[in-house]
Amino acid sequence: MSADTSAREESTGSTRPPPSPAATYTARPGRASRQRLSTGAAAGFLGPNLILLGVFLFLPLGWAFLISFQESSGFGASGWVGLENYRRLVTDPTFWQSALNTAAFTLITVPSSLALGLGLAVLMNSVLPGRRLFRTLIYLPMVISGIATALMGVLLFDEATGIVNKLLRESGLATVPWQSQGTAAFASVILVTLWIRVGFNMVIYLAGLQGISPELYEAARLEGASSWQQFRYLTVPLVGPSTFFLLIMDVIYSFQVFDTIFVMTGGGPGRSTSVLVTYAYENGFVTRDQSYAAAIGIVIFLITLVFTAIQWRGNRSRDTVG
């Protein structure tokens, strides 16, 4: 029997059964493994940014929040005063004047920069000779530092040697007291701010316009829509996401404006151009009342946070209804 069995095994060539597919299959990573890999990759990309945000944003913000409940000049020990700095804000007339100036500055610059940016974007999106050069020139103030553009504003609006007043004198017109009269000083700051911000708004709107299908305008023209009707009922609604983004960015910029006002007017004459950030700087680095300056900074942060949350919620509600 054993000899016959050996002969049969030799005739068949092997005593082992053929390997099953399960034995040769290489197991792939499971769903949990893939999720771990994705989480690790996301952490690798986000980690450096989160570290930078923590060190340069969240940590200073938390430190400012802590200082706002203390009495500190930046030197030596500080004492805990609770809400005293915030109660002081309520009764401080300079704070309220700076807040009103900030609100007026925001209400003027934000709609104006949005309207000018959209108008320039529509113009630059059309067949205009030399439009690439014009785009560069309009966007150039955003590339230059804020201090440099503010110094250019000083060259333009200086009351004694500025280019604008020189042109007015050469034309036989009365000069404008850009530094000695509050309304004129405020207007000069607004004009320079618009010069700085319009280029950025134009670029964002231009990107939005180039994402609109030309067939929509062709269909509107076939239906007899005028240029204004196409702008009103096609362009404005379709660049809504760009408007939402720019609205938030411009409001945040307006509440945080500092370098232009600091270089051009220093918050004067009087307090006519003083805004919340310049007033916080004055308290923190001139009078060395850093706890009060921190309280002003926290108020600025809360105002911008509330406005952004309201706009975000309103935009989501609009998209849901649409």
Side-chain angles (χ1 to χ4, degrees), residues 47-63:
N49 294 320
L50 292 177
I51 292 173
L52 292 174
L53 284 174
V55 173
F56 295 103
L57 179 62
F58 298 120
L59 183 60
L61 181 62
W63 186 251

Side-chain angles (χ1 to χ4, degrees), residues 145-155 192 196 259-261 263-264:
S145 68
I147 299 297
T149 52
L151 289 173
M152 293 180 188
V154 173
L155 292 175
V192 173
I196 296 172
D259 45 9
T260 304
I261 295 176
V263 172
M264 292 186 63

Side-chain angles (χ1 to χ4, degrees), residues 124 128-138 202:
M124 297 301 162
L128 180 70
R131 56 182 177 177
R132 293 184 179 179
L133 176 62
F134 288 123
R135 290 177 191 173
T136 303
L137 293 176
I138 295 172
M202 180 199 69

